[in-house]
Amino acid sequence: MSNSEPSAAPLLDEDFLARCAKLVLVSRNVLQGKVRGEKRSKRRGMSTEFADHRDYIPGDDLRHLDWNIFGRLEKLFIKLFEEEEERSVFLILDASASMSSGEPDKWRHARQVTAALGAIALSSGDRVHLRVFDEQLRTPVPPLRGSRSILKLVDVLEKLKPESETSLDKSLRAHSATCPSGAIQILISDLMDPEGVESAFRQIPGVRGESWLIHLLSQSEAQPDLQGDLRLVDSERQEHVDVTMTNSVLKAYQSALSQFREEIRSHCRRYKIQPVEVSTAVPFDQVVLDVLRQKRWLS
Amino acid sequence: MNIAAPQFIGWAILIPLLLVMWFLKIRRRKSEVSSVLLWKKALEDQRVKSPFQRLVKNLLLLFQLLCLLFLILGLLRPESGSIIYASRLNVIMLDRSASMSSLEEDGRTRFEIAKEKALDRIEEVDGERAVLISFGENAEVLTPVTTDGSLLARMVNEVSPGSGVTNFEDALELALSVVRQDELIPAAGAGSAGTDGSDGSEELLSNQPDARIFLISDGVVPEWKGDSIEVPVIVDSVGFSSSNVGIIAFAARREFTEEGDLKVLLELKNTGDDPLEGVLRLLGDGEVLKETEPKTLEGKESWILSFETISGPSLQLEARWIPTNSDALALDDSAWLVLENMRKLRVVQVGRPNLLLENALLVIESVELFQIEYDEVDPETLASEFDVAVWDGEVPDELPTGLGHLIFNAVPKQFWKEEPPLVEAPRLVSWKKEDPVLRFSSLAPLDGRILKTFPLPKRPGTSGLVECREGSIISRFSTKNLRGLVVSFDIFESSWPLSPSFPFFVDAALRDLGRLNNGINSGLRSGDLLEIEPGVGIDRLDHKWPSGKITGLSLEDAGFARLRLIDELGVHHFHGLSQRKESAEDEDSNDFQFNMYVPLNLLSLEESRIEPRPDLDLGGAEVDSSISGWGESRREYWRILLALGLICLLGEWAVFHRR
């Protein structure tokens, strides 16, 4: 699967999904979910692996009474087991108009990465929340669970259209209000917000769980190949700048881009967010299978 | 630095206009980007770093601005120095006389060397004012006073060598007049005289002590006898060759002898120091009539040659010196004469029969006599049919033009309107013995022996040839197109017809009035004035040059032309047809054709003497070496600016096509 495939093709193919089934999102913190899942939780619960005893409280399930201790000590103890809870993975996808521009297609690339991460999460039993935003958080998609939801997730992504301006702060503020602590939040965006990213990043601090950032830029944004006298039109705000492309202008752009990326990294360090800079020049499967594994986001 | 044309400063408005147009004209291609966020920041950073970076980087605009700037500066014509105050006048005199055609050892003519020297001088005086004068048989100012070296050089290259003698006096007078006239240039900024009460003459420049005359010549110029020359004359002598034999005299006359009908006189001179050998050949219409044995002329030796020959029907006679080894100047190796047909003089005797007069006319061999009655005279055709009209006792009030008139016993009213009083037996007071008409006539038989006469007073256009106290008894009248003699008495009332002097007088009068010569046209020298009067009905002539080229020559209203033959030695042929001929029924008639052959010769000892005379001293003022440096002389920069503008235009073009 490569970037040259047509935009009408499915975001993920079966081979890739098969490879994703063997992967799992790696979080440094133990998660706490409301539904029992496949990941160990701090909470004790219903599983086959013993964890501890506690005093019986009326109303407890007598099936977990430890009869052996009762026989020796004649005290009622309830066996506690490691409860395997499900994790919540929030895929926060930027669907502003800026994601639709650039070569190779940044929007498709973003959706493919999102779909791949979602598929991995669903395959490993995590609950996946797809949050889409532009100038605000769009209507939430119901949480998805289980491998069977992968196709639904892909279907939802394929139907999305990028539009409107970007408002990271407003959107992430709305997201954080409904995001439980301990969840994995993965933000996929080009971060082209004229209001900046700092206040937005403040909404998704890594200290509450895992916060990952996939900073996606198209090849034409990372290495613009422009010549002559141009009027550059902003895809979101209908602003424009007139520029005569010269080597010095291109150098100045590269300088501004480096500065922008450094600011992003700085804010990420501050808010414990793990960033990955991705270019659309790198095929998305290579991003998922190589880059993210190298970053130990996947195993 | 001065600005010669400040009025063009207004064109500077084009510079901001170009900038405005430049910014307006840019057609920017639209390109959508995800966000202009980074681009804004990049451009802002760049502007902060270098506000002029855009301009510098935009080579197209830069080249266009520079091109425009240079062109406007060129229009302003910046110059340094001053044409009036700081630039001296250089008069370059270029000799184009016949001697300048002499060949030098390097194969070039003196004139080619002189032109090269003239070009060197022009280059030397670059930035100063100069004027070019060429001179030969006449002098001519070829350029105005200018600092334009290219104009001077162009004119030098256009001058061709002449074939005439050196009229150095006229040339130097012309050069000095240019220098003196230059003094009258008003000083810069001088107002009109008298506006502030000051004397206008004070505003004129003082004498031009810094003017110079460059004389580029082979030194074959006569000694200067004019006033002292107040400016330095710097002589550039050209030419070292001296080996030359030239024909310096060529004449002939019809003389019937046993050996021929033509007696020829020639003089040749070896003007050099070395002996030269050659033969002299006489050609008639290209055919050899006579050729001498080889003759060696020692240095400075003259060879006067006289011989008889048979010219036959030849028209053109050419004497040609053919050196065994070529000499330096070929122009003086040939000379030409034209032998004209000796036709009879056509004389018409008008009036009553006059036996004495008729006898006198008939004894003249060269006269063809016609007689008509006074009433039969057609004044319009008289000139085309006869050379001289002899009037006896009666004369029309308006004499026909185009022929001579010999009038006996009548008064032409055009000159003497009132009837003069009769005088009996007048005593002669004087007569003009040197006049061609009276040269061979004794007028003693007339003294007191005329019974009665009516002496004519002097009137405008008339002169007395034979005078008594009361007036002239033989008078001459002459205007532009009328000529004649009046004998103011009846020859029957005198004994003159019985005297031998009478037929001599009639013969001389007819020759004078009929303008018949001895049939030898010895021609002109280069620069001489030639008058042609072809006769009634011809208003245009074809001029066939010795080289074969043909040019047209229009006659003046009075039916004659004046011109100076200055180039191409040889025989010039003038031919014309009358309008009557063109429409005449008889096409074979020659009556209305006009042919005139004019030989043009050098025949100048001065021009044939080509030996170098480097010590030519005209006595001009001393050259002031202290003013040899003329850094303040005027220089114009518009050419440089124009060139820079064009270079910028080329740069702009190259950048445009590389984009």
mmCIF file with all atom_site columns, all heavy atoms in Angstrom, chain B residues 181-192:
data_model
loop_
_atom_site.group_PDB
_atom_site.id
_atom_site.type_symbol
_atom_site.label_atom_id
_atom_site.label_alt_id
_atom_site.label_comp_id
_atom_site.label_asym_id
_atom_site.label_entity_id
_atom_site.label_seq_id
_atom_site.pdbx_PDB_ins_code
_atom_site.Cartn_x
_atom_site.Cartn_y
_atom_site.Cartn_z
_atom_site.occupancy
_atom_site.B_iso_or_equiv
_atom_site.pdbx_formal_charge
_atom_site.auth_seq_id
_atom_site.auth_comp_id
_atom_site.auth_asym_id
_atom_site.auth_atom_id
_atom_site.pdbx_PDB_model_num
ATOM 1  N N   . GLN B 1 181 ? 35.683 84.186 -37.905 1.00 0.00 ? 181 GLN B N   1
ATOM 2  C CA  . GLN B 1 181 ? 34.245 84.148 -37.657 1.00 0.00 ? 181 GLN B CA  1
ATOM 3  C C   . GLN B 1 181 ? 33.968 83.517 -36.304 1.00 0.00 ? 181 GLN B C   1
ATOM 4  O O   . GLN B 1 181 ? 33.023 83.851 -35.628 1.00 0.00 ? 181 GLN B O   1
ATOM 5  C CB  . GLN B 1 181 ? 33.558 83.349 -38.752 1.00 0.00 ? 181 GLN B CB  1
ATOM 6  C CG  . GLN B 1 181 ? 32.057 83.571 -38.806 1.00 0.00 ? 181 GLN B CG  1
ATOM 7  C CD  . GLN B 1 181 ? 31.439 82.890 -40.017 1.00 0.00 ? 181 GLN B CD  1
ATOM 8  O OE1 . GLN B 1 181 ? 32.040 82.032 -40.628 1.00 0.00 ? 181 GLN B OE1 1
ATOM 9  N NE2 . GLN B 1 181 ? 30.256 83.289 -40.358 1.00 0.00 ? 181 GLN B NE2 1
ATOM 10 N N   . ASP B 1 182 ? 34.828 82.589 -35.940 1.00 0.00 ? 182 ASP B N   1
ATOM 11 C CA  . ASP B 1 182 ? 34.649 81.915 -34.669 1.00 0.00 ? 182 ASP B CA  1
ATOM 12 C C   . ASP B 1 182 ? 34.750 82.890 -33.507 1.00 0.00 ? 182 ASP B C   1
ATOM 13 O O   . ASP B 1 182 ? 34.212 82.657 -32.442 1.00 0.00 ? 182 ASP B O   1
ATOM 14 C CB  . ASP B 1 182 ? 35.710 80.825 -34.530 1.00 0.00 ? 182 ASP B CB  1
ATOM 15 C CG  . ASP B 1 182 ? 35.344 79.822 -33.472 1.00 0.00 ? 182 ASP B CG  1
ATOM 16 O OD1 . ASP B 1 182 ? 34.240 79.270 -33.565 1.00 0.00 ? 182 ASP B OD1 1
ATOM 17 O OD2 . ASP B 1 182 ? 36.148 79.632 -32.554 1.00 0.00 ? 182 ASP B OD2 1
ATOM 18 N N   . GLU B 1 183 ? 35.445 83.989 -33.708 1.00 0.00 ? 183 GLU B N   1
ATOM 19 C CA  . GLU B 1 183 ? 35.574 84.986 -32.642 1.00 0.00 ? 183 GLU B CA  1
ATOM 20 C C   . GLU B 1 183 ? 34.242 85.636 -32.324 1.00 0.00 ? 183 GLU B C   1
ATOM 21 O O   . GLU B 1 183 ? 34.041 86.215 -31.279 1.00 0.00 ? 183 GLU B O   1
ATOM 22 C CB  . GLU B 1 183 ? 36.552 86.076 -33.062 1.00 0.00 ? 183 GLU B CB  1
ATOM 23 C CG  . GLU B 1 183 ? 37.932 85.573 -33.370 1.00 0.00 ? 183 GLU B CG  1
ATOM 24 C CD  . GLU B 1 183 ? 38.754 86.636 -34.064 1.00 0.00 ? 183 GLU B CD  1
ATOM 25 O OE1 . GLU B 1 183 ? 38.309 87.783 -34.069 1.00 0.00 ? 183 GLU B OE1 1
ATOM 26 O OE2 . GLU B 1 183 ? 39.815 86.306 -34.602 1.00 0.00 ? 183 GLU B OE2 1
ATOM 27 N N   . LEU B 1 184 ? 33.324 85.537 -33.251 1.00 0.00 ? 184 LEU B N   1
ATOM 28 C CA  . LEU B 1 184 ? 32.059 86.251 -33.068 1.00 0.00 ? 184 LEU B CA  1
ATOM 29 C C   . LEU B 1 184 ? 31.027 85.450 -32.304 1.00 0.00 ? 184 LEU B C   1
ATOM 30 O O   . LEU B 1 184 ? 29.899 85.874 -32.145 1.00 0.00 ? 184 LEU B O   1
ATOM 31 C CB  . LEU B 1 184 ? 31.483 86.624 -34.447 1.00 0.00 ? 184 LEU B CB  1
ATOM 32 C CG  . LEU B 1 184 ? 32.414 87.462 -35.311 1.00 0.00 ? 184 LEU B CG  1
ATOM 33 C CD1 . LEU B 1 184 ? 31.766 87.724 -36.646 1.00 0.00 ? 184 LEU B CD1 1
ATOM 34 C CD2 . LEU B 1 184 ? 32.708 88.772 -34.608 1.00 0.00 ? 184 LEU B CD2 1
ATOM 35 N N   . ILE B 1 185 ? 31.419 84.272 -31.852 1.00 0.00 ? 185 ILE B N   1
ATOM 36 C CA  . ILE B 1 185 ? 30.453 83.471 -31.104 1.00 0.00 ? 185 ILE B CA  1
ATOM 37 C C   . ILE B 1 185 ? 30.174 84.162 -29.777 1.00 0.00 ? 185 ILE B C   1
ATOM 38 O O   . ILE B 1 185 ? 31.090 84.454 -29.019 1.00 0.00 ? 185 ILE B O   1
ATOM 39 C CB  . ILE B 1 185 ? 31.003 82.061 -30.851 1.00 0.00 ? 185 ILE B CB  1
ATOM 40 C CG1 . ILE B 1 185 ? 31.192 81.348 -32.187 1.00 0.00 ? 185 ILE B CG1 1
ATOM 41 C CG2 . ILE B 1 185 ? 30.080 81.274 -29.961 1.00 0.00 ? 185 ILE B CG2 1
ATOM 42 C CD1 . ILE B 1 185 ? 31.840 79.998 -32.052 1.00 0.00 ? 185 ILE B CD1 1
ATOM 43 N N   . PRO B 1 186 ? 28.920 84.433 -29.450 1.00 0.00 ? 186 PRO B N   1
ATOM 44 C CA  . PRO B 1 186 ? 28.639 85.068 -28.160 1.00 0.00 ? 186 PRO B CA  1
ATOM 45 C C   . PRO B 1 186 ? 29.015 84.143 -27.026 1.00 0.00 ? 186 PRO B C   1
ATOM 46 O O   . PRO B 1 186 ? 28.906 82.929 -27.136 1.00 0.00 ? 186 PRO B O   1
ATOM 47 C CB  . PRO B 1 186 ? 27.130 85.296 -28.206 1.00 0.00 ? 186 PRO B CB  1
ATOM 48 C CG  . PRO B 1 186 ? 26.732 85.099 -29.622 1.00 0.00 ? 186 PRO B CG  1
ATOM 49 C CD  . PRO B 1 186 ? 27.732 84.199 -30.234 1.00 0.00 ? 186 PRO B CD  1
ATOM 50 N N   . ALA B 1 187 ? 29.453 84.742 -25.951 1.00 0.00 ? 187 ALA B N   1
ATOM 51 C CA  . ALA B 1 187 ? 29.792 83.954 -24.781 1.00 0.00 ? 187 ALA B CA  1
ATOM 52 C C   . ALA B 1 187 ? 28.539 83.348 -24.199 1.00 0.00 ? 187 ALA B C   1
ATOM 53 O O   . ALA B 1 187 ? 27.447 83.858 -24.344 1.00 0.00 ? 187 ALA B O   1
ATOM 54 C CB  . ALA B 1 187 ? 30.482 84.828 -23.742 1.00 0.00 ? 187 ALA B CB  1
ATOM 55 N N   . ALA B 1 188 ? 28.717 82.200 -23.485 1.00 0.00 ? 188 ALA B N   1
ATOM 56 C CA  . ALA B 1 188 ? 27.567 81.521 -22.903 1.00 0.00 ? 188 ALA B CA  1
ATOM 57 C C   . ALA B 1 188 ? 26.894 82.430 -21.888 1.00 0.00 ? 188 ALA B C   1
ATOM 58 O O   . ALA B 1 188 ? 27.541 83.089 -21.083 1.00 0.00 ? 188 ALA B O   1
ATOM 59 C CB  . ALA B 1 188 ? 28.022 80.224 -22.225 1.00 0.00 ? 188 ALA B CB  1
ATOM 60 N N   . GLY B 1 189 ? 25.590 82.451 -21.921 1.00 0.00 ? 189 GLY B N   1
ATOM 61 C CA  . GLY B 1 189 ? 24.839 83.227 -20.957 1.00 0.00 ? 189 GLY B CA  1
ATOM 62 C C   . GLY B 1 189 ? 24.823 84.704 -21.239 1.00 0.00 ? 189 GLY B C   1
ATOM 63 O O   . GLY B 1 189 ? 24.239 85.483 -20.484 1.00 0.00 ? 189 GLY B O   1
ATOM 64 N N   . ALA B 1 190 ? 25.455 85.121 -22.332 1.00 0.00 ? 190 ALA B N   1
ATOM 65 C CA  . ALA B 1 190 ? 25.470 86.545 -22.647 1.00 0.00 ? 190 ALA B CA  1
ATOM 66 C C   . ALA B 1 190 ? 24.086 86.999 -23.084 1.00 0.00 ? 190 ALA B C   1
ATOM 67 O O   . ALA B 1 190 ? 23.472 86.390 -23.941 1.00 0.00 ? 190 ALA B O   1
ATOM 68 C CB  . ALA B 1 190 ? 26.473 86.817 -23.751 1.00 0.00 ? 190 ALA B CB  1
ATOM 69 N N   . GLY B 1 191 ? 23.601 88.025 -22.451 1.00 0.00 ? 191 GLY B N   1
ATOM 70 C CA  . GLY B 1 191 ? 22.297 88.519 -22.844 1.00 0.00 ? 191 GLY B CA  1
ATOM 71 C C   . GLY B 1 191 ? 22.414 89.351 -24.101 1.00 0.00 ? 191 GLY B C   1
ATOM 72 O O   . GLY B 1 191 ? 23.498 89.607 -24.613 1.00 0.00 ? 191 GLY B O   1
ATOM 73 N N   . SER B 1 192 ? 21.274 89.774 -24.605 1.00 0.00 ? 192 SER B N   1
ATOM 74 C CA  . SER B 1 192 ? 21.328 90.598 -25.800 1.00 0.00 ? 192 SER B CA  1
ATOM 75 C C   . SER B 1 192 ? 21.942 91.939 -25.462 1.00 0.00 ? 192 SER B C   1
ATOM 76 O O   . SER B 1 192 ? 21.824 92.448 -24.353 1.00 0.00 ? 192 SER B O   1
ATOM 77 C CB  . SER B 1 192 ? 19.923 90.788 -26.357 1.00 0.00 ? 192 SER B CB  1
ATOM 78 O OG  . SER B 1 192 ? 19.131 91.390 -25.369 1.00 0.00 ? 192 SER B OG  1
#
